[in-house]
């Protein structure tokens, strides 16, 4: 059956870690896909206001997609689903973080019910000196600085870990024991998405399939990491770059070229040229 919707993870799948944006080849491939009548959208732990910089600040690439780790769903430019993280559980987690050197909770500033509002990241659970060291070691900026209190209405956030000071496994083991209401899914070598217990990108899938009228076998899913596994298991046509995590490679139906070699773009070009038929 022909593919009608492509959902694609970002970090390590569509854009190499550390890159400032997707390649020009990938942008052209997405445009060709859309011109062929196939929907394209990111499936990412990032929010739309952050993702746009990866697409040359062109929001037209972000009209449809699953964002915020499955807590924000857009279809044809409209926000059709939004879910916030449980505030009490976040506060408990953030206080636990104060006891862990080398880790911080990095969150998107809350937006309104249409996904609009202030942009940027806030940080909690570290001292100013710890945040400075984390920023230097991780290469991540914290433009909104430290918050004394967690704001209400946070949709998306992640634990960032400086492995020069501690290990991600140790941090997540401590947080998981202290915060049973939350899950922590690795999304990058130093980042762990904070999710409501049992939540994942998969929870948002029925929303987008219902709005677009597509079936699971009409979707192509691209991912590379732990936070993609539920989607890759549910969607028959799953793809993983050859430089993805071993578990993702083992789960995917198809293993494609490496992220840094535009492996996804190559498949998108083929889908566009063959009216959604998978020909590798």
């Amino acid at each position: 059956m022909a593919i009608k919707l492509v959902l694609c993870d970002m970090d390590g799948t569509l854009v190499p870690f550390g890159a400032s944006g997707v390649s020009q080849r990938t942008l052209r491939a997405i445009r060709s896909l859309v011109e062929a009548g196939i929907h394209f959208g990111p499936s990412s732990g990032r929010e739309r206001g952050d993702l746009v910089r990866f697409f040359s600040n062109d929001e037209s690439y972000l009209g449809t997609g699953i964002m915020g780790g499955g807590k924000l769903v857009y279809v044809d430019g409209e926000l059709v689903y939004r879910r916030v993280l449980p505030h009490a559980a976040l506060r408990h987690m953030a206080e636990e973080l104060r006891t862990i050197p080398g880790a911080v909770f990095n969150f998107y500033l809350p937006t309104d019910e249409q996904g609009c509002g202030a942009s940027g990241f806030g940080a909690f659970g570290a001292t100013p000196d710890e945040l400075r060291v984390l920023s230097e070691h991780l290469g991540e900026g914290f433009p909104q600085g430290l918050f004394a209190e967690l704001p209400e209405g946070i949709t998306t956030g992640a634990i960032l870990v400086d492995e020069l000071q501690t290990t991600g496994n140790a941090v997540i083991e401590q947080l998981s024991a202290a915060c049973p209401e939350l899950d922590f899914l690795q999304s990058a070598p130093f980042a762990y998405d904070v999710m409501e217990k049992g939540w994942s990108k998969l929870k948002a899938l029925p929303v987008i399939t219902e709005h677009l009228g597509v079936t699971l076998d009409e979707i192509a899913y691209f991912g590379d990491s732990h936070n993609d596994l539920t989607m890759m298991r549910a969607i028959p046509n799953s793809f993983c770059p050859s430089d993805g995590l071993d578990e993702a490679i083992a789960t995917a139906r198809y293993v494609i070229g490496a992220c840094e070699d535009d492996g996804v773009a190559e498949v998108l070009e083929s889908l566009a040229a063959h009216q959604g038929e998978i020909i590798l």
Side-chain angles (χ1 to χ4, degrees), residues 8 13-16 21-35 40 54-56 61 222 256-274 279-280:
C8 188
T13 302
L14 198 66
V15 58
V22 302
S23 69
Q24 289 300 309
R25 179 183 180 183
T26 299
L27 292 178
R28 291 193 299 269
I30 294 170
R31 289 196 296 268
S32 296
L33 198 73
V34 173
E35 289 168 2
F40 170 87
F54 292 102
F55 293 93
S56 302
Y61 290 95
F222 296 79
I256 60 174
C259 173
E260 63 181 15
D261 295 331
D262 283 333
V264 174
E266 184 176 0
V267 179
L268 299 187
E269 290 164 351
S270 178
L271 288 173
H274 298 97
I279 300 176
L280 300 179

Side-chain angles (χ1 to χ4, degrees), residues 192-215:
Y192 299 81
D193 292 343
V194 178
M195 305 293 287
E196 187 177 349
K197 191 71 175 180
W199 200 262
S200 70
K201 296 176 183 179
L202 183 62
K203 295 285 189 179
L205 191 56
V207 178
I208 203 166
T209 56
E210 181 178 346
H211 274 82
L212 290 176
V214 299
T215 60

Side-chain angles (χ1 to χ4, degrees), residues 173-197:
E173 183 177 350
Q174 181 173 339
L175 290 178
S176 296
C179 309
E181 310 96 330
L182 300 173
D183 283 331
F184 305 92
L185 302 177
Q186 188 172 19
S187 56
F190 57 84
Y192 299 81
D193 292 343
V194 178
M195 305 293 287
E196 187 177 349
K197 191 71 175 180

